[in-house]
Amino acid sequence: MEYAVFESLGQFHGLSPREKEGIRSTYALNVFWSEIAKGSAIVVGEDGSRYFNEAELNGHGHIYNHGDWVVPLNQNHPYMIFDQEKYEELLNEPDNGLKVPHFLDNIFKADSIANLASAIGKDPEVLSQTISEFNFMAQQGKDYAYHRDPATLRAFSQNGPFYAIALRQNMLNTQGGGRRDGHAQVLDPNGTPIPHLFEAGELGSPFVNKYTTGGNIADCLISGKIAGENAAAIKQDISRIGTTDLNSAPINDNFVASSDEGDQKFKVGPNQYLGYSNQGIGDGVVVRTTLNKAGKIVDVEILKQTESDDYGSKAVKELSQKMVEKNTYDVDAVSGASETSRAIKEAVKDSLNKAERK
């Protein structure tokens, strides 16, 4: 299995100022961030040490690494660290349309590196050592750790204050995932297809570690069609669970009944018929359709569904009413809820077919 990777975008190697939960960060062009990385400024990871060349422009989050361009290891709580001189440069940077608005609004400030480390949850000894090493390399004019351009190196001041800005990893789209074969079947570590597990799009893409312009779209279209067709095909090795037949043998033989059906939790009265479908999200859909003596639909009850609360719930609420009004299962689907609509329509059709056989 391949480990998951992703495409990134934005500043440094794909970072941006961390915002509150649910608020998107502001994107800034690399031009602005190449200026930000010059001078007495670094980025540190979880333990307070540097982990990449801050001054190097990225390509969708990929940065140069020993002859290749790769996405660096993600850090959960990266921070940009800088001194008073850099703070004043950022404060007085002319607004050329490339700046991040309010960039300096949410900063940590301390009179020493050790106190700054404590304020942002980093090891004071590690962060202090990181600054000392960076200062040494700046004085030597050579970044021995990550080969940052010597023109961008400037030692930190010996005196405070010092500053930190919380950053977070940007994600443009996912890559990686499990390997898949030409039938879009996911393969186990031995290369054997895992039964009934299919994969499409960027997850498992053949372009896994590279950014290819337009390649993801083409892969989504092609692998999506292949995976969808193969996943939808009836599987002969799926057995039905439970003892009840929900009135009689189902029309859609690929449905897997759950313990709810097996426990006879769904009851029917005169002229009522159960129908079900596994087209929907989760554990399928079960309906109870009531007919009058003339065979007209008078009620459609959705007894079981595991749809989402947004678009899926619209179909649950609206389709049954439409079916009663038009006396048919074949009504217009609810926009944006096509998967749910198909499941409900198939389940009602299943119940009506059973009524016809009675």
Side-chain angles (χ1 to χ4, degrees):
M1 304 289 281
E2 298 175 81
Y3 62 87
V5 298
F6 57 90
E7 298 290 347
S8 187
L9 196 66
Q11 304 76 46
F12 294 119
H13 68 75
L15 302 172
S16 61
R18 191 186 311 161
E19 299 287 353
K20 294 181 179 179
E21 187 78 21
I23 299 178
R24 291 188 176 187
S25 297
T26 301
Y27 169 68
L29 296 177
N30 272 327
V31 176
F32 171 64
W33 284 89
S34 62
E35 292 299 316
I36 261 195
K38 291 180 179 178
S40 44
I42 61 172
V43 174
V44 300
E46 296 302 292
D47 63 351
S49 64
R50 294 173 66 211
Y51 62 104
F52 69 100
N53 178 349
E54 298 91 347
E56 184 175 51
L57 296 184
N58 74 85
H60 278 277
H62 295 68
I63 58 177
Y64 185 79
N65 187 326
H66 298 281
D68 199 2
W69 286 79
V70 299
V71 177
L73 292 176
N74 183 17
Q75 299 289 306
N76 290 326
H77 303 94
Y79 280 84
M80 177 181 173
I81 310 295
F82 50 102
D83 64 4
Q84 181 66 27
E85 184 175 358
K86 187 62 183 179
Y87 172 81
E88 293 174 0
E89 291 176 356
L90 295 172
L91 189 64
N92 297 316
E93 179 79 16
D95 190 352
N96 55 4
L98 303 175
K99 291 183 66 174
V100 175
H102 311 293
F103 178 69
L104 295 174
D105 286 1
N106 300 310
I107 61 176
F108 294 85
K109 179 180 179 181
D111 57 0
S112 69
I113 291 295
N115 289 341
L116 184 66
S118 298
I120 62 175
K122 305 302 178 188
D123 187 322
E125 291 187 10
V126 173
L127 185 58
S128 296
Q129 181 65 26
T130 298
I131 298 297
S132 296
E133 292 174 353
F134 180 83
N135 285 349
F136 172 78
M137 291 185 289
Q139 292 162 1
Q140 298 296 313
K142 184 175 180 62
D143 181 1
Y144 296 97
Y146 297 101
H147 308 290
R148 186 163 139 180
D149 185 346
T152 70
L153 301 175
R154 184 179 67 221
F156 278 67
S157 169
Q158 295 299 313
N159 302 313
F162 301 98
Y163 301 87
I165 293 178
L167 305 174
R168 70 178 177 190
Q169 184 70 52
N170 297 328
M171 182 177 290
L172 178 64
N173 58 274
T174 57
Q175 301 279 34
R179 294 181 182 273
R180 63 174 183 246
D181 63 15
H183 302 288
Q185 298 177 104
V186 178
L187 306 176
D188 66 18
N190 296 319
T192 303
I194 300 173
H196 317 302
L197 184 61
F198 298 86
E199 192 177 60
E202 297 162 355
L203 191 65
S205 169
F207 314 120
V208 57
N209 287 314
K210 302 296 177 186
Y211 178 76
T212 55
T213 304
N216 288 328
I217 297 174
D219 190 29
C220 287
L221 293 173
I222 296 169
S223 63
K225 182 177 186 296
I226 296 172
E229 290 176 344
N230 290 327
I234 292 177
K235 313 299 187 299
Q236 300 300 322
D237 60 334
I238 297 180
S239 59
R240 188 168 291 105
I241 303 170
T243 58
T244 183
D245 63 358
L246 291 183
N247 300 144
S248 61
I251 300 301
N252 44 316
D253 290 326
N254 194 32
F255 182 79
V256 181
S258 72
S259 59
D260 287 341
E261 291 89 324
D263 293 340
Q264 300 278 356
K265 289 185 178 180
F266 302 122
K267 307 299 181 182
V268 294
N271 299 318
Q272 290 185 327
Y273 303 90
L274 295 179
Y276 52 97
S277 168
N278 65 344
Q279 292 277 354
I281 303 300
D283 201 18
V285 171
V286 179
V287 304
R288 180 166 57 210
T289 303
T290 303
L291 308 178
N292 62 17
K293 292 183 179 180
K296 182 179 179 180
I297 300 174
V298 294
D299 193 17
V300 173
E301 304 167 84
I302 300 176
L303 304 179
K304 179 179 181 180
Q305 54 85 19
T306 53
E307 305 303 320
S308 63
D309 292 332
D310 40 34
Y311 291 109
S313 64
K314 292 178 61 179
V316 171
K317 294 175 182 177
E318 297 178 22
L319 277 185
S320 58
Q321 182 179 348
K322 287 186 177 182
M323 292 175 180
V324 173
E325 292 174 354
K326 296 184 178 295
N327 191 37
T328 177
Y329 73 89
D330 193 13
V331 297
D332 291 337
V334 174
S335 177
S338 57
E339 190 69 23
T340 310
S341 300
R342 282 194 291 269
I344 295 173
K345 289 167 68 173
E346 184 184 61
V348 175
K349 179 183 178 182
D350 187 22
S351 67
L352 295 176
N353 284 331
K354 292 169 183 174
E356 290 178 1
R357 297 202 301 271
K358 283 270 184 172

